[in-house]
Amino acid sequence: MILAKVIGTVWATHKDEKITGMKLQIVQPVNLDYKPKKDFFVAVDSVGAGVGEIVLVVQGSSARQTELTENKAVDATIMAIVDKLDAEMEK
Amino acid sequence: MILAKVIGTVWATHKDEKITGMKLQIVQPVNLDYKPKKDFFVAVDSVGAGVGEIVLVVQGSSARQTELTENKAVDATIMAIVDKLDAEMEK
Amino acid sequence: MILAKVIGTVWATHKDEKITGMKLQIVQPVNLDYKPKKDFFVAVDSVGAGVGEIVLVVQGSSARQTELTENKAVDATIMAIVDKLDAEMEK
Amino acid sequence: MILAKVIGTVWATHKDEKITGMKLQIVQPVNLDYKPKKDFFVAVDSVGAGVGEIVLVVQGSSARQTELTENKAVDATIMAIVDKLDAEMEK
Amino acid sequence: MILAKVIGTVWATHKDEKITGMKLQIVQPVNLDYKPKKDFFVAVDSVGAGVGEIVLVVQGSSARQTELTENKAVDATIMAIVDKLDAEMEK
């Protein structure tokens, strides 16, 4: 899973039937100090994360292993809101 | 899922039977301001997206989770046409 | 799927039983103008592509979704020979 | 699988039901001499690895192939604690 | 599949039950002339490859498609020993 920040939302009325009703959030991966990296992608939100929150995103086929995303055309899912972390990069 | 722009089409008469009849679109990933990144790949179109449209592309095994692509040799599928997005990269 | 050129063949007599009889081709990803990129990998050929041909390669679990590669230890399959494409990278 | 060092832990009370009770460890990939690389990600611990230990991490759908992680929204799992390795990078 | 050289072995007594008895080899991807690239990872050996041999490694869920690795927490498997290859990078 990767650490990311929710930075916004995508709207798409014309989409595959199976993903109707899902919230598509834009997430930006972050470092351990929550400083953003330079990329972003779109993830389905399964935990009600709001913009600005630090979350964990699961990718690939495992992104379909939540009740909301089972058998859906989804390759990234927000599956946890991070309370805190205790770690420091080693050099 | 990633944000991309449809920039063209590929024709292939000689192909695996299971993908007959699918439209193979060339997509170029874009930034949040829709400015293109420097790469491209080929995705099956499941939503009727035209050249120039901004879309969401699902990759990996989840690309097979639409009615059109089920059990097909497809690793990237356009599964939504983007209406708008509300997000800004953090620095 | 990615666009690539077939540049050669690998021979391996000592291999997993399940891939016996498959042709292992070396492919080099190319740009939209068919100019080669700087990497390569090995793909099973499901469409009879010859050296020098431009093909589409499907990767990951979807590489097992052809009759030839079903349930095989294969993570990349040539699934189409490209006739032509109509697209231009945006800047 | 990749070689990594456990450098910390993430806490998340608000998370997908299916991952309740799993320990989320932060791992930093390392070189053969155990010197850290510059990235990190989050993995579920299936072997009781402590901070500072060198481990093997399995990614993708295979991360769900332990008793603990079966059918869970998990894309990275610590599946072994490394005792020693005998290898040298070739130049 | 990618072309790689076996450069060593990892020992791990404390590991997920399902991978007991598998040989964990360290592989370094190589170019067409067998010159090593700058990265490495760990793969299960399904063909009895020794250190110094050039092999093909299958990754992702397809790494579980050998008799040895079926349903195991394995994301990379050595599935062939390369006899020879006939290819040249295009520029």
Side-chain angles (χ1 to χ4, degrees):
Chain A
M1 285 68 66
I2 63 164
L3 198 64
K5 190 173 192 172
V6 181
I7 60 165
T9 305
V10 180
W11 287 269
T13 44
H14 197 78
K15 58 191 168 190
D16 185 73
E17 283 179 22
K18 289 212 257 177
I19 61 160
T20 302
M22 291 185 189
K23 188 157 195 181
L24 298 164
Q25 297 285 46
I26 301 172
V27 296
Q28 186 173 359
V30 297
N31 288 315
L32 287 180
D33 56 5
Y34 301 166
K35 276 200 189 138
K37 296 182 181 181
K38 288 186 178 172
D39 208 6
F40 75 95
F41 57 91
V42 176
V44 164
D45 181 11
S46 82
V47 288
V51 170
E53 281 188 291
I54 301 296
V55 296
L56 291 180
V57 182
V58 59
Q59 293 176 283
S61 62
S62 298
R64 300 195 307 266
Q65 297 284 343
T66 69
E67 224 172 279
L68 179 70
T69 56
E70 205 182 344
N71 299 324
K72 301 294 191 297
V74 166
D75 62 10
T77 301
I78 299 171
M79 42 68 99
I81 299 174
V82 171
D83 293 327
K84 68 167 186 170
L85 56 82
D86 181 11
E88 209 169 317
M89 293 298 281
E90 301 211 348
K91 284 169 195 170
Chain B
M1 287 67 67
I2 62 164
L3 197 66
K5 190 173 192 171
V6 182
I7 60 165
T9 305
V10 180
W11 286 270
T13 43
H14 197 78
K15 58 190 167 191
D16 185 73
E17 284 181 21
K18 289 214 257 178
I19 62 159
T20 302
M22 291 186 189
K23 188 156 195 182
L24 297 165
Q25 297 285 47
I26 301 171
V27 296
Q28 186 173 1
V30 297
N31 289 315
L32 286 181
D33 56 6
Y34 300 166
K35 277 200 188 136
K37 296 182 181 180
K38 288 187 178 170
D39 208 4
F40 75 96
F41 57 90
V42 176
V44 164
D45 181 10
S46 82
V47 288
V51 171
E53 281 188 291
I54 301 297
V55 296
L56 291 180
V57 182
V58 59
Q59 292 176 283
S61 62
S62 297
R64 301 195 307 266
Q65 297 283 344
T66 70
E67 225 171 279
L68 179 70
T69 57
E70 205 182 344
N71 299 324
K72 301 294 190 298
V74 166
D75 62 10
T77 302
I78 299 171
M79 42 69 98
I81 299 175
V82 172
D83 293 327
K84 68 167 187 170
L85 57 81
D86 181 11
E88 209 169 316
M89 292 298 280
E90 302 210 349
K91 283 169 194 170
Chain C
M1 286 68 66
I2 63 165
L3 198 66
K5 189 173 192 170
V6 181
I7 60 165
T9 305
V10 180
W11 286 270
T13 43
H14 197 77
K15 57 191 168 190
D16 184 74
E17 284 180 20
K18 289 214 257 178
I19 62 160
T20 302
M22 292 187 189
K23 188 156 194 182
L24 297 165
Q25 297 285 48
I26 300 171
V27 297
Q28 187 173 0
V30 297
N31 289 314
L32 286 180
D33 56 6
Y34 301 165
K35 277 200 188 136
K37 296 181 180 180
K38 288 187 178 170
D39 208 5
F40 74 95
F41 57 90
V42 176
V44 164
D45 182 11
S46 80
V47 289
V51 170
E53 281 189 291
I54 300 296
V55 297
L56 291 180
V57 182
V58 59
Q59 293 177 284
S61 61
S62 298
R64 301 195 309 266
Q65 297 284 343
T66 70
E67 224 171 278
L68 179 70
T69 57
E70 205 181 343
N71 298 325
K72 301 294 190 298
V74 166
D75 62 10
T77 302
I78 299 171
M79 43 69 98
I81 300 174
V82 171
D83 294 328
K84 69 167 186 169
L85 58 82
D86 181 10
E88 209 169 315
M89 293 298 281
E90 301 211 350
K91 282 168 197 171
Chain D
M1 285 68 66
I2 63 165
L3 198 66
K5 189 173 191 171
V6 182
I7 60 165
T9 305
V10 180
W11 287 270
T13 43
H14 198 78
K15 58 190 168 190
D16 184 74
E17 284 180 21
K18 289 213 257 176
I19 62 162
T20 302
M22 292 187 187
K23 188 156 194 181
L24 298 165
Q25 297 285 47
I26 300 171
V27 296
Q28 186 173 0
V30 296
N31 289 314
L32 287 180
D33 56 5
Y34 301 165
K35 277 199 188 138
K37 297 182 181 180
K38 289 188 177 169
D39 207 5
F40 75 95
F41 57 91
V42 176
V44 164
D45 181 12
S46 82
V47 289
V51 170
E53 281 188 291
I54 301 296
V55 296
L56 291 180
V57 182
V58 59
Q59 293 176 283
S61 61
S62 298
R64 300 195 307 266
Q65 297 284 344
T66 70
E67 223 171 280
L68 179 69
T69 57
E70 205 182 344
N71 299 325
K72 300 296 190 297
V74 166
D75 62 10
T77 302
I78 299 170
M79 42 69 97
I81 299 174
V82 172
D83 293 328
K84 68 166 185 169
L85 56 83
D86 181 10
E88 209 169 315
M89 292 299 281
E90 302 211 349
K91 283 168 195 171
Chain E
M1 286 67 66
I2 64 165
L3 197 66
K5 189 173 192 171
V6 182
I7 60 166
T9 304
V10 181
W11 286 270
T13 44
H14 197 77
K15 57 191 168 190
D16 184 73
E17 283 180 22
K18 291 213 257 177
I19 62 162
T20 302
M22 293 187 188
K23 188 155 194 182
L24 297 165
Q25 297 285 47
I26 300 172
V27 296
Q28 186 173 1
V30 296
N31 289 315
L32 287 180
D33 57 5
Y34 301 165
K35 276 200 188 137
K37 296 181 180 181
K38 288 187 178 169
D39 208 5
F40 74 95
F41 57 91
V42 176
V44 164
D45 181 11
S46 80
V47 289
V51 170
E53 281 188 291
I54 301 295
V55 296
L56 290 180
V57 182
V58 58
Q59 294 176 283
S61 61
S62 297
R64 301 195 307 266
Q65 297 284 343
T66 69
E67 223 170 280
L68 179 69
T69 56
E70 205 182 344
N71 299 325
K72 301 295 191 296
V74 166
D75 62 10
T77 302
I78 298 171
M79 42 69 97
I81 299 173
V82 172
D83 294 328
K84 68 167 184 169
L85 57 83
D86 181 11
E88 209 169 316
M89 292 298 281
E90 301 211 349
K91 283 169 195 169

